[in-house]
């Protein structure tokens, strides 16, 4: 009785919060889901029924509807996902799939026999991750259709984001999901189409916003974390319990269940934080909670308000780490191990990164299939900002004398690419060749944004991103929306010249494959005597700066003279090289980009040039080398 | 008691033979210097590496690795080759080092002579232990990977990996320590026995290791823990001292060199302590052997007296056909004895001495004496017999005299040596 009362109290509390935050409708709720699902922990299956309430916001009357069946990516080794991933073949138990038992328009036409699989991306007839149905009646603009779907989802062995591992379940991409009916991505386009891509090994997702009411039935002893907030919970006669989760204005719903979770709850301002963690990670709880609070504070300060009432952070067990490091609306997964030293900030980094996704994947919700950089690039950019400026000032890895900042490691991912021209940052996710997806979409994109940050200054940069977030939240912005808004904001504040510069920069950086490398080729000081070509005796110095890459952008060169004075020269960076000459002054050294703003410049070594050779480093490391060898030799012998 | 005096004896020996430390450190220093001098005198026009002088900067470090890729791979190869060279040089001078330990003084002629003399034996010995170490390592790695893959298979959490990891690691470290210890004592035993049968030596010293388990282990762990403590201390020092200018760099250099020197000294002190421990045990063995030898010697003496009597009788009975041969045989034998005795006298190392004594004792127990008896029975000519007998007597007396003299000298020397070990 007492527990019931407490339960009641807590529901009352939740409903209150939910009521407060759901006063305003944040998005155009196009795709809404009511799902009842029962988890069978023995067979690793989910038996479910869903009602999709979908609004036609287009100007077309529709009789064709496209749906995702993401779980079929794990059906067999012929799926497009499987062919492009490096996973080993799945055994029967490890396989995952989703079976439509019945699909109909609510209380009307049965469409079960009309299900037709399509493969719009690669025409792989064996891929069953997208299907369409054609209805007998047309759905006019501005009207709503309700699909009733009964399905069984067999969860795969947790090898890529979703599935089971022992009694641990992480359930994502698990229900039939309607595609996005949108205007084609062309300038001034007026024609609409279904955007419903197959499940690929490198791509993430795209969906419309909506309201999710999801009833989950799991064994009584299981702890559940899910998108949204817990609205109701009741215990059933058969040792199961049914929990109702509600989430408004989100694009997806993921959940997790395990008998071994412990829960730590906290609050930051009005946002409730749930941390579902493993017993053995007790010592890591504070790291995660601290990181999420810092990320919340930082993102609210620099980008915009977090619009949801809660955030649930999932810490998977060691054997379920495949579920870690992934973002879903109002729910993120992280990953740690018990013995991780404080100097290795991976838990913080993952928590911050996945949380930032709430803004770019969750709220702006750009198409991750087609323009993944708008999500991952911005997320990585803010991740490095929070890590380097607040959470790990001494390095995201600072261990036994080795130090590496967040942005340094990200930049290395890009600069170290064997072929940096292999694709542009803007590219459909599955079209990135040779595993370049991560390095371009995360790392290069983060470098692009940091370079932009450097050119514009932090204040202006934050203003642009703030405006972008304000204007496009819940609207699926595209790359051009960002570029247009950025150039416009710069134009209004700093004028045409910088605005044009930014436009040219982003065009090359996002759509182009050019590489950026400026170098100082020489610094010369000559003592010339008066003669035919020389007016008077004295020192003549000359600095030769070169553009080695095909990426063109304005740069600054700092020149340091022997007498201690300094001078900053500017160059538009367009021609192949430029000479700077001085009379009467001895140049000690010169340096391109003295404030280290151009992270896109992939070689820093040639950015500076000293008149005199520099020895310090070599002597220091020679001593180290000598000492290491001495010890190694002594270790080996006698 | 033996253990305690091993430390002090070891200390005394390593101080008395300080030139060993200088040689080893000198080789170590010169190799490392010639390895790193090229790097030390390099330079760059770029300012970026200055970020690595005052601190560590990842980006600058990566730029360095990228721009000096080829040079670094050469350097890496050199690093390995210099290590191999150091290993070989160590193996080479080991004979000299142990010899100087034995005589408790460094004599450069003896040092180089014994280095040369033992090189191949120690080379073989090092090779065997290198292989044993590799096998042990691969085995540990293999076992661990099997355990880990099973744990992954059964979906264990990370804490479940810790225990098996530490168990395997501990067993590996313990066995590697054992190998290390056995390797050291094998070196001593090779020095004493001058044996070429390295495998047999390894086996013998494995038994020695088991027999003296506690003591050799205590010796090993004393020195290992000092060295580990020293390494931790030097790492801490590295952490505390921030190199940001040439002065601090020079101080760090000095500190590092002192550390390497102390490490080499500790190793030699450790080696000489083990060596002392080994010789103390060995001397005891010789003492026992000496008594045994004397008893046998007397017995042999008695037998030979009796045999000579018999021979005389036989010869007198006129059986002289192969008297000449018998005389020759006896001569050869006596000469042999003389040679052996003089060898014993010349030999300083107790183990070989003991070996030679043993050989002598064994010789006196052979059936050669009986053979001579048979041969002599063919001698027939009376005159000839008389002559032969007189010659025989003469030789016998002469040899006897010599033998006794030499025995006296030898026994005295033995006592001196034994006495010396106990100081
Ligand atoms: Zn991400």
């Amino acid at each position: 009785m007492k527990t019931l009362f407490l339960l009641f109290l807590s529901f009352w509390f939740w409903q209150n919060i939910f009521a407060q935050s759901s006063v305003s409708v944040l998005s155009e709720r196009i795709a809404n889901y009511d799902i009842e699902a029962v988890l069978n922990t023995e067979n690793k299956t989910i038996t479910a029924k869903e009602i999709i309430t979908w609004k036609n916001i287009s100007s077309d009357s529709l009789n064709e509807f496209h749906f995702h069946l993401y779980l079929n990516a794990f059906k067999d080794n012929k799926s497009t996902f499987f062919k492009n991933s490096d996973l080993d073949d799945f055994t029967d138990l490890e396989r995952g799939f989703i079976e439509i038992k019945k699909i109909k328009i609510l209380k009307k036409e049965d469409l079960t026999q009309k299900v037709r699989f399509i493969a719009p991306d690669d025409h792989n007839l064996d891929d069953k991750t997208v299907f369409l149905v054609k209805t007998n009646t047309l759905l006019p603009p501005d009207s709503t259709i309700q699909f009733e779907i009964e399905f069984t989802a067999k969860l795969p062995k947790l090898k890529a984001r979703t599935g089971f591992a022992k009694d641990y379940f992480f359930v994502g991409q698990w229900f039939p999901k309607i595609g996005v009916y949108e205007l084609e991505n062309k300038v001034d386009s007026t024609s609409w189409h279904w955007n419903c891509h197959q499940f690929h090994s490198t791509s993430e997702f795209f969906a419309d916003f909506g309201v999710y009411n999801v009833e989950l039935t799991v064994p009584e002893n299981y702890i559940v974390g899910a998108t949204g907030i817990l609205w109701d919970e009741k215990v059933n006669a058969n040792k199961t319990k049914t929990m109702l989760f509600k989430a408004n204005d989100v694009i997806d719903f993921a959940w997790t269940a395990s008998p071994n979770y412990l829960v730590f709850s906290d609050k930051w301002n009005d946002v409730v934080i749930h941390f579902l963690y493993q017993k053995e990670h007790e010592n890591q709880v504070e790291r995660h909670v601290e990181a999420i609070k810092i990320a919340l504070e930082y993102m609210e300060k620099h980008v915009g308000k977090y619009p949801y009432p809660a955030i649930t952070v999932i810490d998977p067990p060691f054997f379920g780490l495949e579920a870690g490091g992934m973002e879903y609306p109002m729910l993120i997964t992280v990953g740690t191990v018990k013995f991780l030293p404080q100097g290795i900030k991976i838990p913080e980094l993952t928590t911050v990164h996945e949380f930032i996704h709430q803004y770019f994947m969750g709220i702006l919700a750009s198409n991750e299939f087609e323009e993944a950089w708008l999500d991952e690039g911005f997320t990585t950019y803010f991740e490095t900002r929070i890590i380097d400026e607040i959470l790990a000032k001494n390095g995201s890895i600072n261990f036994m004398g080795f130090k590496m900042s967040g942005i340094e490691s990200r930049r290395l991912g890009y600069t170290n690419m064997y072929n940096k021209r292999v694709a542009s940052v803007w590219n459909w996710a599955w079209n990135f060749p040779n595993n370049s997806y991560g390095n371009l979409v995360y790392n290069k994109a983060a470098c692009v944004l940091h370079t932009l940050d450097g050119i514009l200054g932090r204040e202006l940069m934050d203003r642009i991103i703030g405006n972008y977030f304000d204007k496009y939240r819940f609207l699926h912005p595209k790359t051009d929306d960002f570029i247009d808004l950025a150039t416009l904001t710069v134009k209004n504040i700093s004028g045409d010249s910088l605005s044009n510069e930014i436009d040219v920069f982003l065009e090359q950086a996002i759509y182009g494959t050019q590489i950026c490398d400026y170098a100082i080729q020489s610094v010369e000081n000559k003592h010339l005597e008066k003669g035919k070509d020389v007016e008077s005796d004295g020192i003549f110095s000359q600095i030769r700066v070169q553009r080695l890459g095909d990426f063109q952008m304005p740069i600054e060169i700092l020149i340091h003279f022997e007498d201690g004075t300094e001078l900053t020269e500017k160059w538009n960076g367009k021609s192949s090289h430029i000479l700077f000459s001085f009379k009467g002054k001895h140049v000690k050294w010169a340096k391109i980009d003295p404030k280290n703003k151009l992270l896109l410049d992939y070689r820093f070594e040639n950015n500076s040039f000293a008149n005199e050779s520099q020895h310090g480093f070599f002597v220091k490391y020679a001593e180290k080398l000598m000492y290491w060898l001495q010890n190694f030799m002594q270790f080996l012998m006698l | 008691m033996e253990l305690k005096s091993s430390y002090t004896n070891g200390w005394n020996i390593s101080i008395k033979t300080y030139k060993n430390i200088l040689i080893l450190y000198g080789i170590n220093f010169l190799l490392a210097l010639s390895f790193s001098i090229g790097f030390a005198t390099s330079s760059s026009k770029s300012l970026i590496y200055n970020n690595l002088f005052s601190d560590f900067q990842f980006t600058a470090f990566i730029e360095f690795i990228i721009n000096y890729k080829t040079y670094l791979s050469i350097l890496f190869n050199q690093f390995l080759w210099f290590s191999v060279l150091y290993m070989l040089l160590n193996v080479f001078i080991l004979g000299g080092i142990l010899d100087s330990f034995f005589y408790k003084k460094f004599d450069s002629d003896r040092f180089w002579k014994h280095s040369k003399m033992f090189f191949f034996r120690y080379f073989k010995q090092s090779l065997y232990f290198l292989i044993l170490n590799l096998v042990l390592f691969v085995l540990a790695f293999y076992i661990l990977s099997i355990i880990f893959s099973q744990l992954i298979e059964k979906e264990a959490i990370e804490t479940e990996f810790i225990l098996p990891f530490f168990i395997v690691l501990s067993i590996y470290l313990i066995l590697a320590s054992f190998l290390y210890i056995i390797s050291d004592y094998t070196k001593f035993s090779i020095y004493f026995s001058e044996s070429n049968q390295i495998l047999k030596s390894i086996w013998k010293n494995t038994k020695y290791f088991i027999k003296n388990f506690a003591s050799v282990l205590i010796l090993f762990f004393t020195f290992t823990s000092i060295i580990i403590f020293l390494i931790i201390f030097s790492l801490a020092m590295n952490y505390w001292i921030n190199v940001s200018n040439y002065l601090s760099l020079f101080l760090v250099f000095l500190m590092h060199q002192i550390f390497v020197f102390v490490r080499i000294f500790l190793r030699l002190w450790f080696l000489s302590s083990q060596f002392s421990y080994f010789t103390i045990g060995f001397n005891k063995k010789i003492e026992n052997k000496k008594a045994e030898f004397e008893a046998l010697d007397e017995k042999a003496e008695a037998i030979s007296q009796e045999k000579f009597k018999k021979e005389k009788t036989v010869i007198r009975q006129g059986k002289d056909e192969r008297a000449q041969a018998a005389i020759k045989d006896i001569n050869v034998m006596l000469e042999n004895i003389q040679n052996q005795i003089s060898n014993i006298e010349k030999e300083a190392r107790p183990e070989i001495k003991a070996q030679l004594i043993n050989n002598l004792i064994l010789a006196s127990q052979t059936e050669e004496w009986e053979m001579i008896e048979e041969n002599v029975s063919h001698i027939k000519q009376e005159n000839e017999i008389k002559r032969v007998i007189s010659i025989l007597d003469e030789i016998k007396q002469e040899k006897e005299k010599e033998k006794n003299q030499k025995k006296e000298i030898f026994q005295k020397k033995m006592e001196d040596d034994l006495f010396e070990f106990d100081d």
Side-chain angles (χ1 to χ4, degrees):
Chain A
M1 214 34 218
K2 200 173 156 193
T3 39
L4 253 177
F5 176 69
L6 279 176
L7 264 163
F8 171 77
L9 255 187
S10 76
F11 292 148
W12 173 81
F13 167 77
W14 276 118
Q15 281 175 351
N16 240 349
I17 285 190
F18 202 73
Q20 276 168 18
S21 60
S22 62
V23 201
S24 53
V25 173
L26 300 171
S27 66
E28 191 154 21
R29 295 169 173 177
I30 294 171
N32 305 283
Y33 295 79
D34 291 278
I35 309 178
E36 286 167 23
V38 179
L39 173 69
N40 183 327
T41 54
E42 285 305 308
N43 304 339
K44 321 293 182 194
T45 55
I46 296 167
T47 323
K49 198 169 103 179
E50 72 174 348
I51 291 169
I52 305 175
T53 309
W54 188 80
K55 199 160 94 186
N56 180 9
I57 59 157
S58 76
S59 50
D60 299 342
S61 289
L62 282 169
N63 71 339
E64 185 182 302
F65 300 89
H66 293 206
F67 297 83
H68 294 283
L69 288 179
Y70 288 126
L71 270 192
N72 278 343
F74 305 94
K75 194 177 164 69
D76 50 41
N77 55 12
K78 291 180 210 144
S79 74
T80 295
F81 164 84
F82 214 101
K83 283 181 171 168
N84 292 314
S85 71
D86 44 18
L87 295 176
D88 296 330
D89 272 6
F90 279 14
T91 62
D92 276 344
L93 180 71
E94 290 175 342
R95 246 181 266 288
F97 53 85
I98 178 166
E99 222 174 300
I100 306 271
K101 300 279 181 202
K102 192 194 235 173
I103 174 167
K104 57 189 265 192
I105 302 171
L106 193 65
K107 291 175 186 150
K108 287 180 194 150
E109 186 189 353
D110 190 332
L111 304 166
T112 314
Q113 298 309 316
K114 292 185 163 182
V115 169
R116 187 159 72 80
F117 287 100
I118 55 168
D121 299 334
D122 65 355
H123 310 292
N124 172 9
L125 293 177
D126 294 317
D127 191 74
K128 310 283 187 211
T129 58
V130 176
F131 76 91
L132 64 79
V133 286
K134 286 190 172 158
T135 54
N136 290 336
T137 48
L138 279 172
L139 178 69
D142 268 331
S143 46
T144 298
I145 186 170
Q146 284 192 300
F147 294 99
E148 187 186 342
I149 306 175
E150 283 173 33
F151 66 93
T152 302
K154 159 72 179 69
L155 296 171
K157 179 74 191 290
L158 193 42
K159 287 189 175 175
R161 294 185 188 132
T162 184
F164 72 91
K166 243 161 44 176
D167 56 356
Y168 178 80
F169 293 86
F170 192 90
V171 190
Q173 300 94 38
W174 57 287
F175 55 94
K177 211 173 165 188
I178 193 159
V180 176
Y181 197 65
E182 58 159 22
L183 272 174
E184 277 179 7
N185 190 8
K186 286 177 196 152
V187 184
D188 300 327
S189 167
T190 51
S191 74
W192 294 72
H193 74 148
W194 278 106
N195 193 312
C196 193
H197 292 290
Q198 295 159 246
F199 196 171
H200 301 271
S201 66
T202 45
S203 78
E204 293 187 339
F205 315 101
F206 183 44
D208 273 318
F209 288 94
V211 172
Y212 285 76
N213 296 310
V214 183
E215 236 179 55
L216 301 170
T217 301
V218 297
E220 207 179 345
N221 62 331
Y222 272 58
I223 312 289
V224 176
T227 294
I229 55 171
L230 180 63
W231 190 261
D232 191 11
E233 178 172 347
K234 60 172 191 284
V235 177
N236 307 318
N238 59 351
K239 290 202 170 167
T240 62
K241 62 181 175 186
T242 300
M243 303 165 90
L244 172 63
F245 286 90
K246 287 189 174 224
N248 291 346
D249 305 298
V250 294
I251 54 167
D252 197 6
F253 186 96
W255 57 288
T256 175
S258 157
N260 301 317
Y261 278 132
L262 298 178
V263 185
F264 178 89
S265 296
D266 202 347
K267 245 183 129 181
W268 182 85
N269 288 351
D270 286 336
V271 182
V272 177
I273 301 163
H274 290 302
F275 184 46
L276 272 61
Y277 64 99
Q278 307 297 318
K279 187 174 77 213
E280 61 274 17
H281 297 160
E282 189 81 54
N283 64 342
Q284 307 273 316
V285 172
E286 206 187 313
R287 296 178 72 166
H288 291 89
V289 176
E290 172 82 2
I292 205 93
K293 285 182 181 175
I294 283 169
L296 262 163
E297 187 175 348
Y298 194 94
M299 293 305 284
E300 287 216 345
K301 186 175 166 204
H302 294 272
V303 181
K305 186 155 174 47
Y306 180 71
Y308 302 119
I311 178 77
T312 300
V313 184
I314 305 297
D315 161 46
F318 184 71
F319 57 85
L321 268 181
E322 260 306 328
M326 185 56 191
E327 69 281 6
Y328 303 91
M330 297 176 71
L331 177 128
I332 59 173
T333 68
V334 290
T336 190
V337 285
K338 186 181 172 71
F339 311 99
L340 205 67
Q342 285 290 336
I344 298 175
K345 302 283 185 194
I346 289 170
E348 287 84 353
L349 197 141
T350 318
T351 308
V352 165
H353 179 98
E354 306 310 337
F355 176 74
I356 298 167
H357 271 306
Q358 295 303 315
Y359 282 74
F360 297 99
M361 172 284 305
I363 302 165
L364 288 166
S366 302
N367 189 334
E368 295 176 293
F369 286 102
E370 297 176 3
E371 299 176 288
W373 86 276
L374 284 175
D375 175 29
E376 294 296 355
F378 277 87
T379 298
T380 307
Y381 163 68
F382 273 103
E383 161 214 301
T384 53
R385 276 178 60 171
I386 296 174
I387 287 294
D388 295 344
E389 290 164 26
I390 299 174
L391 261 170
K393 284 182 190 159
N394 294 322
S396 64
I397 290 179
N398 185 348
F399 193 62
M400 310 204 16
F402 180 85
K403 257 190 303 189
M404 180 174 75
S405 73
I407 186 59
E408 278 182 313
S409 72
R410 291 301 195 176
R411 181 175 168 273
L412 178 69
Y414 165 61
T415 58
N416 215 28
M417 280 177 77
Y418 179 68
N419 179 2
K420 286 174 262 295
R421 298 177 192 276
V422 72
S424 65
V425 165
W426 188 95
N427 199 356
W428 285 17
W430 58 93
N431 283 341
F432 284 92
N434 315 332
N435 296 325
S436 59
Y437 173 78
N439 284 329
L440 291 171
V441 165
Y442 290 65
N443 300 335
K444 182 181 175 184
C447 289
V448 169
L449 291 171
H450 268 287
T451 305
L452 187 66
D453 185 339
I455 299 169
L456 298 174
R458 180 52 62 82
E459 212 186 311
L460 188 49
M461 183 73 179
D462 276 358
R463 193 139 163 193
I464 290 169
I465 296 178
N467 286 350
Y468 171 65
F469 182 73
D470 270 356
K471 186 172 176 188
Y472 290 107
R473 55 207 205 125
F474 304 106
L475 290 176
H476 315 297
K478 307 211 182 305
T479 298
D480 282 342
D481 294 330
F482 174 73
I483 294 179
D484 292 348
L485 187 137
T487 48
L488 189 71
T489 312
V490 174
K491 189 176 172 178
N492 290 340
I493 290 167
S494 303
D496 280 338
S497 139
L498 187 59
S499 169
N500 290 338
E501 197 183 294
I502 294 309
D503 197 21
V504 174
F505 169 78
L506 287 174
E507 193 70 28
Q508 298 174 84
I510 302 300
Y511 291 116
T513 58
Q514 294 98 319
I515 53 175
C516 177
D517 185 17
Y518 286 95
I520 297 186
Q521 208 178 35
S522 62
V523 168
E524 276 178 38
N525 292 297
K526 276 184 201 155
H527 192 88
L528 296 182
E529 275 167 26
K530 196 178 167 185
K532 203 173 70 185
D533 302 318
V534 184
E535 279 175 33
S536 59
D537 279 15
I539 292 166
F540 291 81
S541 49
Q542 201 168 57
I543 300 162
R544 188 185 157 92
V545 184
Q546 253 202 319
R547 176 169 60 75
L548 299 175
D550 47 358
F551 197 107
Q552 298 178 3
M553 63 184 296
I555 59 168
E556 287 180 348
I557 301 114
L558 178 69
I559 296 142
H560 186 99
F561 297 99
E562 204 71 61
D563 60 7
T565 55
E566 291 190 335
L567 179 75
T568 304
E569 293 276 3
K570 291 190 172 169
W571 176 38
N572 66 15
K574 283 184 178 151
S575 55
S576 70
H577 70 276
I578 190 167
L579 289 170
F580 296 101
S581 304
F582 305 95
K583 214 163 110 184
K585 271 183 160 184
H586 213 277
V587 174
K588 200 171 177 191
W589 51 257
K591 200 175 191 177
I592 292 170
D593 183 33
K595 288 176 192 140
N596 275 326
K597 299 188 288 193
L598 311 182
L599 297 194
L600 267 190
D601 187 331
Y602 81 97
R603 278 290 158 266
F604 283 170
E605 196 241 12
N606 57 20
N607 283 15
S608 55
F609 199 102
N611 190 35
E612 272 176 31
S613 295
Q614 307 290 301
H615 292 284
F617 156 75
F618 293 94
V619 178
K620 178 178 170 176
Y621 276 74
E623 196 279 334
K624 275 182 195 286
L625 281 174
M626 180 170 170
Y627 182 57
W628 289 339
L629 178 65
Q630 284 184 292
N631 276 296
F632 185 70
M633 292 192 303
Q634 198 49 37
F635 169 74
L636 282 180
M637 259 342 277
L638 267 178
Chain B
M1 208 45 218
E2 283 171 19
L3 196 59
K4 215 177 117 194
S5 58
S6 298
Y7 292 108
T8 49
N9 280 348
W11 172 272
N12 289 336
I13 292 172
S14 48
I15 295 293
K16 277 182 195 160
T17 60
Y18 69 94
K19 281 183 183 160
N20 286 330
I21 309 171
L22 294 184
I23 287 176
L24 263 181
Y25 173 74
I27 294 173
N28 183 297
F29 181 84
L30 287 176
L31 281 181
L33 188 70
S34 50
F35 162 73
S36 58
I37 195 79
F39 195 81
T41 51
S42 303
S43 66
S44 166
K45 288 278 185 182
S46 176
L47 296 171
I48 194 168
Y49 304 128
N50 294 348
N51 294 329
L52 289 166
F53 186 59
S54 48
D55 196 1
F56 178 83
Q57 196 206 41
F58 178 71
T59 299
F61 189 70
I62 293 296
E63 290 276 342
F64 166 70
I65 287 178
I66 290 166
N67 287 300
Y68 288 80
K69 217 177 341 187
T70 333
Y71 182 49
L72 283 176
S73 74
I74 295 170
L75 216 56
F76 180 74
N77 279 329
Q78 278 181 359
F79 192 96
L80 295 181
W81 283 116
F82 272 88
S83 303
V84 171
L85 185 61
Y86 186 69
M87 249 162 104
L88 285 175
L89 285 170
N90 265 271
V91 170
F92 176 65
I93 61 174
L94 186 59
I97 289 175
L98 294 185
D99 192 63
S100 74
F101 282 179
F102 181 69
Y103 287 100
K104 294 181 188 167
K105 67 167 197 266
F106 185 90
D107 176 300
S108 84
D109 285 346
R110 283 193 71 92
F111 182 85
W112 297 116
K113 201 183 119 202
H114 283 79
S115 292
K116 221 163 72 188
M117 183 170 140
F118 283 103
F119 175 64
F120 279 109
R121 296 189 180 107
Y122 286 133
F123 181 74
K124 262 203 314 210
Q125 187 262 1
S126 308
L127 216 58
Y128 285 139
F129 277 95
L130 201 70
I131 291 164
L132 284 172
N133 267 307
L134 272 176
V135 168
L136 184 64
F137 180 79
V138 169
L139 208 68
F141 191 83
Y142 180 68
I143 290 170
L144 202 62
S145 66
I146 286 179
I147 294 174
F148 276 15
S149 66
Q150 270 173 3
L151 280 170
I152 288 169
E153 190 77 14
K154 78 159 242 237
E155 304 186 315
I157 58 171
E158 69 269 33
T159 46
E160 293 175 69
F161 287 74
I162 299 300
L163 188 66
F165 174 75
F166 278 108
I167 289 174
V168 173
L169 182 72
S170 310
I171 293 174
Y172 168 72
L173 286 178
I174 288 168
L175 291 179
S177 307
F178 289 179
L179 268 186
Y180 191 89
I181 296 168
I182 293 170
S183 162
D184 274 358
Y185 289 98
T186 307
K187 288 168 190 164
F188 308 148
S189 144
I190 289 171
Y191 170 73
F192 282 118
S193 66
E194 288 183 15
S195 167
N196 275 316
Q197 291 168 295
I198 308 299
L199 283 175
K200 211 170 136 191
S201 257
I202 293 174
W203 174 238
K204 239 169 71 184
N205 281 279
T206 309
K207 286 193 288 193
Y208 176 85
F209 167 73
I210 294 165
K211 241 193 237 164
N212 299 275
F213 190 70
S215 306
V216 296
L217 224 56
I218 290 169
L219 260 174
F220 174 80
F221 281 117
T222 324
F223 283 96
T224 316
S225 32
I226 296 174
I227 288 174
I228 288 172
F229 172 78
L230 192 72
I231 290 172
I232 291 170
F233 178 75
S234 91
L235 285 175
M237 290 292 280
N238 278 345
Y239 190 75
W240 289 326
I241 300 177
N242 182 32
V243 173
S244 52
N245 53 42
Y246 283 108
L247 179 69
S248 50
L249 179 59
F250 181 67
L251 288 177
V252 164
F253 171 73
L254 279 186
M255 192 189 86
H256 283 165
Q257 291 315 311
I258 291 169
F259 170 73
V260 172
F261 186 83
V262 171
R263 227 187 124 170
I264 290 172
F265 167 70
L266 276 172
R267 174 56 186 149
L268 284 172
W269 179 18
F270 172 37
L271 197 71
S272 53
S273 299
Q274 292 186 116
F275 186 81
S276 285
Y277 181 78
F278 190 76
T279 29
I280 289 170
F282 201 75
N283 284 342
K284 266 193 175 167
K285 227 162 73 184
I286 293 198
E287 196 107 35
N288 295 338
K289 275 265 190 279
K290 209 174 86 178
E292 206 179 310
F293 164 68
E294 271 163 7
L296 280 171
D297 196 38
E298 271 168 35
K299 204 173 148 196
E301 206 67 15
I303 293 168
S304 79
Q305 291 293 342
E306 202 162 310
K307 292 215 163 160
F308 267 100
K309 262 188 227 155
K310 274 188 189 166
E311 276 151 24
K312 275 184 200 166
T313 327
V314 169
I315 292 165
R316 277 200 196 96
Q317 280 166 359
K319 298 166 186 170
D320 70 333
E321 215 167 285
R322 288 174 65 187
Q324 294 290 355
I327 293 160
K328 252 186 220 161
D329 279 344
I330 290 163
N331 266 334
V332 166
M333 247 178 66
L334 289 173
E335 216 171 301
N336 198 8
I337 290 168
Q338 187 196 3
N339 281 341
Q340 284 189 41
I341 289 171
S342 79
N343 279 346
I344 290 170
E345 189 216 353
K346 269 187 254 160
E347 185 49 54
R349 275 160 289 138
E351 179 160 344
I352 296 178
K353 220 177 246 185
Q355 194 71 50
L356 295 178
I357 293 166
N358 252 342
N359 292 346
L360 193 58
I361 293 165
L362 287 174
S364 70
Q365 292 166 322
T366 55
E367 288 174 343
E368 276 177 59
W369 298 92
E370 262 105 348
M371 228 172 68
I372 293 166
E373 197 179 353
E374 265 178 50
N375 292 339
V376 169
S377 69
H378 297 292
I379 300 172
K380 280 175 183 155
Q381 301 286 324
E382 193 68 30
N383 288 344
E384 189 56 14
I385 289 167
K386 274 179 188 160
R387 204 177 63 80
V388 167
I389 286 172
S390 69
I391 292 168
L392 213 55
D393 278 340
E394 242 175 72
I395 293 169
K396 168 112 169 76
Q397 269 158 22
E398 218 180 289
K399 299 291 168 191
E400 201 71 15
K401 229 162 81 188
E402 254 175 68
K403 193 180 158 193
N404 284 335
Q405 262 173 9
K406 278 166 190 176
K407 223 167 110 183
E408 251 174 61
I409 295 166
F410 163 61
Q411 273 174 358
K412 197 171 172 301
K413 181 94 177 65
M414 273 270 275
E415 270 160 21
D416 287 346
D417 281 352
L418 289 166
F419 189 68
E420 217 179 315
F421 288 138
D422 289 334
D423 72 3

